[in-house]
Amino acid sequence: MNLIYYKSEKGNFGDDLNLWLWPKIFGPSFFDNNDEVAFFGIGSILIENSDFIEKAKKFKQKVIFGTGVRSINEKFDFDDSWDIRFLRGPYSSLKLTNTLNKFVSDGAYFLMLLPEYNTYLSLPKQHDIGFVPYFKSIDKVNWQQICDQLGWKLILPTNGDVEQFMIEISSCKTIISEAMHGCILADALRVPWKRLRFNAHLHEGEKVSEFKWNDWLLSIGIKENVYIEAPALKRRKLYKIFKTAFKNKNENYVLNKLKEHQVVNFNLSKDTIITDLSISMKKEVESLKKTYLLNNV
């Protein structure tokens, strides 16, 4: 299998999870077999005319396994060489297949099929609140200083250690995250979570960001997209000169917003949803093995 995914130079947990997770699900030789097959897993990388699509065209077969469409504006004309197993959510399903039921959820939930999953669930809770910034927001403010003032655990999505990230999420009673996969992992690990809108929706674009979040939320039965609203301040002409002053102003602004996070409730998908996801994911794994990995199971 030839993995198609987004790779950040800084590292980003949601994307880095691909290399760690799929060999655990399908076996250590997963990426060493079927050289004629491209595999789309975790990420919002179904983008028309993108490098991801162009790279995949080199391969005889392309498998879509829980991938997300990036925005409502994408247009696709896929031929029979594209094996669409399932999408991230109903929005992606509708956009790519013209149906609302060709989805399971984000591929990160497949960690629930791992033998070590119950170990993560049973880890002791050492922190009341953990905070996960968006990987493109790391340098916008001093998150460590903010978390120190609030008494929160800072969990960076850029340290490159996938398992440590999950352990840190599991060590918290609750999670507040700007990063979507911070909330997804918290949900999978049964840690109540809530979303912060600071910089990610500005960097990606409002339409792209909300399409992604609602696509995932609907896949786990959550219809209301609520969040702590603290959009990063715009840099005025004076602050372009005094960059430190601007960073401090942004920092004080988001700190005050996070102090009032109680106005937004924590979320957690229902246990019945998680049970249904696990059943669907097991079926998808077995189906893919039979089609592409029969001789390697």
Side-chain angles (χ1 to χ4, degrees):
M1 289 284 181
N2 296 277
L3 179 63
I4 307 292
Y5 77 115
Y6 174 78
K7 183 173 178 59
S8 166
E9 292 182 1
K10 293 183 177 180
N12 180 31
F13 169 81
D15 302 306
D16 297 341
L17 187 58
N18 281 289
L19 287 172
W20 183 88
L21 179 63
W22 300 123
K24 287 180 173 288
I25 295 295
F26 293 108
S29 62
F30 180 62
F31 293 128
D32 299 327
N33 294 283
N34 292 296
D35 288 340
E36 295 183 340
V37 181
F39 182 86
F40 285 69
I42 301 165
S44 303
I45 58 173
L46 292 175
I47 310 166
E48 64 175 308
N49 301 321
S50 66
D51 290 342
F52 305 112
I53 301 296
E54 291 304 311
K55 183 178 180 180
K57 286 180 179 179
K58 298 186 300 182
F59 302 100
K60 184 177 180 180
Q61 196 80 13
K62 304 90 177 170
V63 175
I64 293 175
F65 202 79
T67 320
V69 173
R70 187 158 183 81
S71 81
I72 192 68
N73 297 320
E74 310 295 351
K75 296 179 181 179
F76 304 100
D77 184 22
F78 288 164
D79 59 25
D80 292 341
S81 68
W82 289 82
D83 183 0
I84 303 171
R85 293 286 164 145
F86 64 97
L87 283 304
R88 176 183 55 207
Y91 285 0
S92 290
S93 174
L94 183 63
K95 192 65 184 176
L96 200 58
T97 70
N98 281 332
T99 67
L100 281 168
N101 58 3
K102 190 74 170 177
F103 73 92
V104 176
S105 190
D106 190 274
Y109 280 96
F110 277 79
L111 77 90
M112 299 190 303
L113 302 186
L114 301 180
E116 55 264 47
Y117 176 62
N118 287 330
T119 301
Y120 298 139
L121 294 182
S122 62
L123 289 174
K125 303 300 182 185
Q126 300 176 348
H127 312 280
D128 287 335
I129 297 178
F131 177 75
V132 185
Y134 178 56
F135 79 109
K136 291 284 189 179
S137 300
I138 298 296
D139 300 327
K140 295 292 182 183
V141 294
N142 188 331
W143 292 112
Q144 186 63 67
Q145 185 168 305
I146 289 173
C147 286
D148 287 346
Q149 292 186 64
L150 293 168
W152 296 0
K153 166 68 174 175
L154 176 62
I155 304 173
L156 294 176
T158 53
N159 67 7
D161 190 333
V162 168
E163 189 157 16
Q164 182 61 32
F165 184 89
M166 288 190 286
I167 290 171
E168 291 182 353
I169 292 284
S170 296
S171 73
C172 299
K173 294 179 181 177
T174 58
I175 289 292
I176 296 176
S177 179
E178 185 192 9
M180 190 170 80
H181 275 97
C183 291
I184 291 174
L185 260 293
D187 195 73
L189 294 166
R190 313 316 289 149
V191 178
W193 52 269
K194 67 176 77 172
R195 176 190 179 190
L196 168 70
R197 287 212 326 170
F198 170 65
N199 173 60
H201 68 296
L202 302 176
H203 175 78
E204 295 179 319
E206 184 98 16
K207 291 181 180 179
V208 169
S209 186
E210 298 315 298
F211 181 88
K212 290 167 53 178
W213 276 86
N214 283 290
D215 192 35
W216 163 57
L217 289 170
L218 289 171
S219 78
I220 57 168
I222 295 179
K223 297 179 180 179
E224 190 174 3
N225 182 3
V226 297
Y227 42 78
I228 305 162
E229 180 74 329
L233 302 174
K234 293 183 179 180
R235 181 175 292 178
R236 301 181 185 279
K237 185 179 293 186
L238 182 63
Y239 284 124
K240 290 182 179 179
I241 301 173
F242 301 104
K243 294 181 179 179
T244 301
F246 173 74
K247 190 172 184 178
N248 290 339
K249 186 177 178 67
N250 235 336
E251 191 171 300
N252 289 330
Y253 165 72
V254 73
L255 173 62
N256 289 328
K257 288 289 186 178
L258 289 173
K259 285 179 179 178
E260 301 172 355
H261 74 87
Q262 293 92 342
V263 299
V264 177
N265 293 328
F266 284 100
N267 291 291
L268 193 65
S269 63
K270 295 179 180 178
D271 289 342
T272 53
I273 293 286
I274 291 299
T275 299
D276 289 344
L277 283 182
S278 295
I279 293 171
S280 296
M281 290 187 301
K282 288 176 183 176
K283 290 180 179 178
E284 294 293 348
V285 168
E286 291 307 311
S287 176
L288 190 106
K289 283 182 176 180
K290 288 178 181 178
T291 304
Y292 295 99
L293 304 173
L294 185 60
N295 297 324
N296 303 297
V297 178

